[in-house]
């Protein structure tokens, strides 16, 4: 049960449409339910303003399906599943309604929520190789109720490609700047933008890119103010932050 | 000239209090002025929503004073000066109105603006040794028009100290979590909070803390969502991000 | 021959049930026996208080079986085999009595000893992905005569999950805290516990987790006292330490 | 108030020597007291089995004296102060009873407790340069109620020096193995000992010792079981762990 | 004797102005002269197209003066001295004609040659803190016969500052891009330029800038083609490369 | 359209062979064309003096073929494709004229241009294992209009092999020095040469070669002047730099 | 032609058994022969005191066979081939006489020379997993004319295993100490031995062993004098050094 | 008492010049003597073939003097003291006969032994900045009875300087190659020499030299056989190894 759903419940109680007892029952679920191999944190949506997310990387397809089903069965309307292989997605979608994005290796089980944020989240990438991380961010942002604008392949070695999109950059609520190699995109975007920039280094590159470390260091040292950084390839985390920013004061 | 000042100027034009010519004159300054050893970026306030900041670390006290005077003389009401030694501060304050915070090694030249953000920014530290970085963040946040709540010495090895402040954490607009050593504060705060958390690793520690690298890595790997990270000891950068978040949709 | 067995032998001598000559014969085995590709260290049990362990990682299944058989044939009652693939386990179990734990990739050949420690060893993990390391620790602890309590998926981003188990943490003889990513579990547990905490970083994570290095550094820098650290993914080593602690003054 | 002191208090209540009200008063202190720049954690002794420790590294001599006085004034009998310069020690000792060990850069304010552990803690060093870290460990162990045996300069390049002390090593409750350079002492001691070994890498060395990193890695990779590791130069942390081990089941 | 001087000598021989014997004498100097603590490589100018350079960092002021005097005395017209403290410069200038640049910590002993390259070398820096490295490059370039254009403080977080100088960038023979922190300047300049870009990372920054390593990695991973990199803070090396490029086909 | 083609176009206009309108049409193409998954930068050739290059590493064979076809169809005469697998090359060559070099994993689609540089580019390698990187450099140099001399297996542990080629080294326009392991080739060649040396570390080696990092560091620290460095295994980047140098003042 | 062969040739000339002309012919071979993909360095045996070695890692089985055949055909009696897969070995042995050691992944083509060194080379390993590196060292030592004593699995966590071989250690000409994990073997052997110790770190281990880096650092920091180190897993290099030492003053 | 001295003693016994009892007395000294802060290892000379060495780095001048005096008083004829400041040297020389080399920061107390090795040890450096390390090696080699040839400033960027000394290189018993920066000297010397080369990386350099790490890695990856490596700046260790090699079969 997320914050909106909780609010709706309380409003139904206020309007007399739901009895106090029924509301209590809905709320009284233990803060987490133990399903053996994982503890599902039902109150986290309430506490942190977003639905529980399933990190699929270290789970079997059966575990992913079981956890997602448990969540949907407990009243959660939207479940985001990240780091899920196409094979696992096929298995899950045979049991649950699932909207899977193969480039992102992520999917939405249940309903995709309508955008309810303050504005748009811009997702920019330095090159085409960064797109999988960008798509993970896009799917996440959408699952959390945000409208997304994609600006792909606008790296700094061809500035005119980026400058052609100054409008989108100047009007965003939050920007996710995704780049591998030297990661300079974050600084240039940060210099142009008037909103927080979440930088995502990617493991794209070779040799001295060290699996994304060079881009990570570059972004941490950005000479532009207003830039903060998440882990390498962590499109999900960047979108989560951006969604929080885009929903400030909403609801 | 920052965004508010520009807006005021335009409104004065709209009300007929300022002629179009005078307004044009005020706006037509070159986007940057070259004063020999530095280019002052006058339009950045307009472009990025905040006043120009002087990074004092590599400048002489004379240069700091000259740049700040030039800015104040050009109509900037507030100039934040960071990484300024007490000695430089003494010199600057003999020439300009300066409110210097020695722990922060930062000061505000000109007026301190009234808070105009959405809510409060919480600044939490793991230990007492992190306070200088926290104070840099606090001075910055105040210079950018934010109200600040300080929660110092609430590290995770004594959880009750942190849990005693759950209210402040749950109602913040943005939280700055500052910690050295193992940097676990960011994850624990991120798990409790309902707003973006900007994590700042500090160079506090010894041995395998590697000047803040351990805390940095810990924060980048935070298992809590909604946490993004800035450079080691970068209290300024964290506050700049937090202020942007706290001002979304304001003005 | 381990310490208990040696003690029994000496007591039998004291009671006249075994002649001095027979006892001498049992003890006089060379300190190690060379079986060509490895030297088996028979006196180590006597010297170090625990049975010899077979580290299976770099050995063929035939070598594992031969070494374990040699040990059991020399009077060792329990042989712990770690880092053994399911395939090797199948081979070994066709030749010896073997209790294999696939998640742990470890097994016990011969008898599982009854717990004879002072209290319980608590094994806690931050997430579900850390379970294989935790199970290696659990199997090891049991092979060395300890009772084990498992607390899995109690990571610090959802503190209530951990706090629900304060009792187990406060009454343990020793705690093994296992976590990847930012490794903050060790500090939080260390702050709650009244006994030694052995921290095990895991290679769980991606990007800047650097195969467990981030968690390792985090744990080495723990702000909680009473925390010491073993190698990445070294569930065995942690359990060995914990067992030593749990057996102090016993026998 | 530490565990023993709490127990004494309760026993005095049981024997009618202290009224319930007085006991309540003694216990009811807030779990921590805020003295402005630090939160003093009075219940930690109760919770973690040891007195509060003052980490002097980042504190002024006035702060150290104030914190220690506050603790002693609240009924704490022993306060350990680590990482304290001779200059600060002189200042503190002019205000409080202080037993300062200059090599250790640590001191005990208040009473030195009588040893009440199970056995002895052996502190071994590879060379003479490791002695400051060893002395920090020794002072800590004594402040926590342990008897200490020092074996200094017994590095592995002259094995006979170490082997001459096999008796002390075989009969210890816990061993602290301190070495810089290649850190091999931990493995050799671990192979000889029958109790937990806490390894402390030191920053002694030059070139590729990398300020203790080489010794740290060596110790983490120890081929001997029963070895766990603390941070570089962390004599305090090792002694804290060793004291916990030496007090298991005592009180 | 550098290449031009050798050519002049040969032409004088061809014109009969110098006897073969005298020319032989001038050329027959041993390829290097041993002055005790250093071997002076007289033929290197001939072999590598530039005068010998004195790297002052590890030499006493007396040694610097002696080496430079020996060179000037052997017919070398210009001697560049780098990494020379103001104190050493004062000593040297009391014995030799020296044009010292304090920001650069470098100076030219003897004559400053007239520019004889193909075009101009542009030296750009990201910030004002990079100026010492830039000045070392400028002095070096001038000592090697190049005309220099300085573009300082044109970092990428304020793109308009850089774009205001597109003309200089598009018409350079070679560009030296100098930046610390995230080092993005090299990529942006590389995308705009039509000539080789030599990137110089600087040790400017703090925290995760790691003394220039972040900038170095960023530059090595530049997504712009035509960018090569020299050591951190190596303004000299960059200018040496740029001068070679600027003199291709000249003489 | 590259610089030469643009010049030809302008000359045809000057000679009246092409109308101003037709020329405008040819030039007015948007600076980049968006083909969905990538933005093709048509003006880059004009801006940077070389044709667009397709970096095949992260693209499907279909994407490579589509991009190359689009380029050739837009008037580009030569398209260089790097990091292309033999499988992809087979696919592309079934659709386009392609000259594929399997060792280099690179190929030229369209025409191979005639050499039009100032002189020759020498490509030297330390060992035979470095040849794939060298061939990538050679194909790139040829695609950009350069004549190439290959000196393979001339590593410094057998100096006579290198010294046998002093002539080629002394007369090159630019030298590409390619080596793994200790990377000493760059320094020795730099000491012999009279032209810029572009050093390429390779990932050849094992153990402490760390995938090319040792060679990279060695080259960055070269004691020879005139050496600059590109990323590990970046034969393409080195050749691009060398070609720029070899074409200075040409056209 | 190696040194012995050259000496024999010269002696045959001295005894009149070979004409000066024939000898000249035998010696006049170019210092290296170019066979297309590699330069064979025939004079290296003369210069460096050992036969040419073929490093098989980056060569096809056909190349290995061709190079070895060329060498044997030129009068070389013994050719050592290292880093050769079993598959390549099978191919080579179908064309040449080859004595292949699969554990070592190395073989000797042609004759195995009789030992002609001063004494024995002892090869010691810490564990059984280090044996492949040890066997590479053993095959190399034998190919270079040395007698070898193997002491395997004598790691320092069970000192008695090593001390049982004090005689072999005290009487060796040179010792090769091979260990992974913490690499302490080198220090302990170095403390016992009276001859040079060549330490070889191995990539054996996991987690913080970092592929042999921990052992490498440990060995470089050895507190025992007389220990020098070669690259990780470089059994060949260690044996080459040891053979040089064992042949000093011989011939 | 070193090996020679022990041998002399035994021969005197054999010749009846010393009684068995006197000899026994001389030999019966405990293997080490404890003088409080250090254990002096008297038998090490006997065991390892060289006199005890005092590592002065972490010792007070009083400790150095006391240890050296104790050694000389026990019959040791020569005591080498390394890492000793000029100030300490002055103190020591006021109490003992001391031959101090300030560049080396090392000195010989007692007699300097006559050279008794097989041949000469060549000590070569890349630059003049490496001389302090070279002098430490030279003093050490002389203290251990070796004749030394110095070849300073023969770095590989000017090959002719090195090649001018081919004779010394070809006839050495052992070579110590000392270089900072890129460390290529070891490989080039290793390719020329016919004897073992001990490579010493130095901390000379800046930026990406990382305090000697680049040179260290370069040397470990040397493509020349016969090269082994000691710690950064460890001139002592290299000379100790070289002396062992130079004394093989002597006595």
């Amino acid at each position: 049960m997320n914050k909106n759903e909780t609010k709706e419940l309380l409003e139904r109680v206020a309007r007399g449409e739901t009895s106090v007892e029924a509301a209590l029952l809905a709320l009284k679920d233990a803060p987490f339910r133990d399903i053996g191999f994982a503890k599902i944190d039902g109150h986290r949506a309430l506490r942190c303003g977003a639905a529980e997310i399933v990190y699929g990387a270290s789970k079997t397809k059966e575990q992913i399906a079981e956890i997602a089903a448990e969540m949907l069965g407990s009243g959660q309307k939207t479940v985001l599943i990240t780091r899920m292989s196409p094979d696992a997605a096929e298995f899950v979608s045979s049991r649950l309604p699932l909207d899977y994005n193969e480039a992102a290796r992520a999917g939405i089980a249940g309903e995709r929520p309508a955008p309810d944020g303050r504005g748009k989240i811009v997702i920019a990438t330095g090159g085409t190789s960064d797109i999988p991380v960008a798509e993970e961010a896009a799917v996440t942002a959408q699952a959390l109720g945000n409208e997304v604008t994609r600006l792909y392949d606008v790296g700094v070695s061809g500035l005119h490609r980026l400058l052609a999109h100054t409008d989108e950059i100047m009007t965003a609520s939050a920007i996710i700047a995704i780049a591998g190699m030297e990661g300079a995109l974050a600084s240039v975007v940060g210099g142009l933008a008037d909103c927080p920039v979440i930088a995502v280094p990617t493991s794209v590159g070779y040799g001295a890119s060290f699996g994304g470390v060079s881009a990570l260091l570059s972004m941490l040292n950005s000479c532009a103010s207003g830039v903060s950084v998440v882990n390498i390839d962590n499109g999900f985390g960047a979108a989560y932050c951006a969604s929080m920013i885009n929903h400030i004061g909403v609801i």
Side-chain angles (χ1 to χ4, degrees), chain A residues 29-34 39-43:
Chain A
D29 275 338
F32 56 89
R33 283 180 306 280
D34 197 322
K39 293 187 174 52
I40 298 178
D41 186 350
H43 276 210

Side-chain angles (χ1 to χ4, degrees), chain A residues 30 124 130 176 180 197 244 251:
Chain A
D130 304 313
I176 299 172
V197 174
M244 275 187 161
I251 305 295

